[in-house]
Amino acid sequence: MLLVQQGQPLVEATLPDPEPKPGQLLLKVRACAVCRTDLHLRDTEIEATKLPVVLGHQIVGITEDDRRVGVPWLGWTDGDCRYCRTERENLCLHAQFTGRDIDGGYAELTVADERFCFPIPSELSDAQAAPLLCGGLIGFRALRLAGSAPRLGLYGFGSAAHQICQVAVYEGRQVYAFTRPGDEETQAFARTLGAVWAGGSDERPPEELDAAIIFASAGELVPAALKALARAGRVVCAGIHMSDIPSFPYDDLWEERMIRSVANLTRRDGHEFLALAPKVPVRTTVTTYPLERAEDALADLRAGAFEGSAVILPR
Ligand SMILES: [Zn+2]
Ligand SMILES: [Zn+2]
C-alpha cells in the first residue's frame, strides 16, 4: 500500500520484490502496527522525504533463515556524527527512518538493516508484538525521561500510553490517564490497565503530578499539563508533531518545572524495553486490518475509533 501523494488515500500497488543490499535482511512482513507518525505523513502534518513511500515502522517479519525480528523507526545512522559518537544515535544528523526515508511495512515484503533490527520476545504473537516497536519503545524512552515520578500523568491514551501505563504500574507508580473530554470508554479502558484516575484533558487530577507525558498532538495540552504538575515536575512531549503551544504565564513554569521533547529511539532503548516487556508483562490491545484496508486503519486512528493499537496483517 503506497503513499503516492500526501493528503491522498494510500494506493494498492504491485512493486518489484525488494532486493536486500549487503547488511540488509529480506523480510516477509507478518504484522505492521500503525503509528500516529504514519497518519501525520498521510495527512501532511510532517514532511515526506521520499514519494512514493511504503509507510509503516513497527514491523514484525520473518528472515529468509526463519528468524522473527522487529524493525523500528530508526532504520539507519551514520555512526559517525557528534550525536552517534556520544550514545545519542536517536539524534543522528543523517539518520534514515523506516517508513519515511526507507520503504516500510505496509507491504508483504520489506528489507531492513540487520544492525537496527531487534529479536522479538517469543511470548507475544506477531500482532501483539508489533505495537511494541514504536508506541512501546518510544513511550518507554519518554517514561525514562520523565524520571522517577511516582505520580505520572499520560495525556492521550492510545497505542503508546496503553503500554506505558502497564510498565509504570509494574514499577509501582500511580498513573493518571487523560483522554479527550467525554471519552468515557477510553477512561474505563485506562482503569482496566491500572490507572488510579482517568478523566478528560480539561480536568485537573486529584493529586499534583511529578511528570506528565503527552502522546497526543494537541499543543494546548502542554500548558494544561504544566498546571497539573508539582514543583520540579516535568512535561515530556513524546510525539513527532504537535500543533502550536499557546502562551502561558511564567508562574506555571516557575519552581523548576520543565518541558522537553523526545525524539526517536536508540537501539539501547529498544533492547531495554523488549527485555522488560515480557516481565511486566505488557499486553497490547489490538485491532487488526488486512493490508488492503490500511487506509481504513489510518482513518480509524484519526477518528479514535479503537482502543490500543491498530495492526496491519498482510496475507
Ligand atoms: Zn550520526
Ligand atoms: Zn512511530
Side-chain angles (χ1 to χ4, degrees):
M1 293 298 292
L2 272 183
L3 179 66
V4 176
Q5 198 185 338
Q6 289 188 281
Q8 297 291 321
L10 303 187
V11 175
E12 193 172 330
T14 303
L15 303 180
D17 288 358
E19 303 234 354
K21 296 187 197 119
Q24 284 185 325
L25 299 170
L26 176 64
L27 299 172
K28 271 190 198 138
V29 178
R30 298 284 291 267
C32 183
V34 176
C35 178
R36 189 161 288 275
T37 299
D38 306 339
L39 185 58
H40 290 319
L41 281 162
R42 154 73 177 78
D43 286 350
T44 329
E45 285 153 342
I46 58 177
E47 198 186 340
T49 52
K50 150 185 146 62
L51 286 172
V53 64
V54 180
L55 299 176
H57 57 268
Q58 308 189 79
I59 306 166
V60 175
I62 300 290
T63 63
E64 290 175 283
D65 58 356
D66 249 358
R67 286 176 295 134
R68 193 168 73 136
V69 300
V71 183
W73 171 241
L74 187 70
W76 185 88
T77 59
D78 58 16
D80 196 37
C81 72
R82 55 193 294 246
Y83 300 101
C84 284
R85 286 172 180 279
T86 50
E87 294 181 29
R88 295 178 292 171
E89 66 181 357
N90 60 307
L91 302 176
C92 177
L93 293 170
H94 303 109
Q96 291 183 12
F97 297 105
T98 311
R100 193 191 74 169
D101 310 308
I102 305 167
D103 279 336
Y106 289 16
E108 289 152 315
L109 293 173
T110 194
V111 293
D113 187 318
E114 184 165 17
R115 296 169 301 168
F116 292 85
C117 295
F118 300 112
I120 294 292
S122 57
E123 294 87 342
L124 296 169
S125 72
D126 299 324
Q128 286 174 318
L132 273 60
L133 289 159
C134 184
L137 67 85
I138 294 184
F140 175 73
R141 181 175 177 85
L143 181 66
R144 287 289 166 266
L145 295 179
S148 58
R151 293 193 297 234
L152 177 73
L154 300 177
Y155 284 77
F157 204 87
S159 181
H162 96 288
Q163 299 179 59
I164 292 317
C165 178
Q166 298 172 58
V167 176
V169 169
Y170 169 80
E171 292 179 336
R173 306 172 194 245
Q174 290 185 344
V175 174
Y176 298 78
F178 297 80
T179 70
R180 291 177 204 197
D183 185 355
E184 287 171 21
E185 267 175 70
T186 305
Q187 291 164 18
F189 178 58
R191 285 188 208 97
T192 66
L193 295 175
V196 295
W197 178 90
S201 57
D202 55 345
E203 293 176 52
R204 290 286 275 275
E207 308 280 353
E208 289 186 325
L209 306 175
D210 300 305
I213 304 175
I214 303 183
F215 291 112
S217 56
E220 63 265 26
L221 294 176
V222 174
L226 259 186
K227 279 192 190 302
L229 291 184
R231 294 177 180 191
R234 302 181 195 181
V235 173
V236 179
C237 303
I240 190 169
H241 163 81
M242 191 177 250
S243 57
D244 286 356
I245 301 169
S247 72
F248 53 86
Y250 179 62
D251 257 4
D252 291 351
L253 188 64
W254 175 238
E255 293 163 336
E256 304 198 339
R257 291 175 181 85
M258 186 201 292
I259 303 171
R260 72 172 298 169
S261 64
V262 173
N264 314 318
L265 66 136
T266 64
R267 281 172 278 183
R268 189 173 162 183
D269 297 324
H271 287 294
E272 283 181 16
F273 177 65
L274 292 169
L276 176 63
K279 290 182 193 156
V280 171
V282 174
R283 295 193 194 287
T284 50
T285 296
V286 300
T287 301
T288 61
Y289 297 79
L291 178 57
E292 61 272 20
R293 287 193 56 221
E295 180 66 26
D296 294 338
L298 291 172
D300 288 352
L301 175 60
R302 192 188 293 110
F306 53 81
E307 303 299 348
S309 316
V311 178
I312 289 167
L313 301 176
R315 252 183 270 267

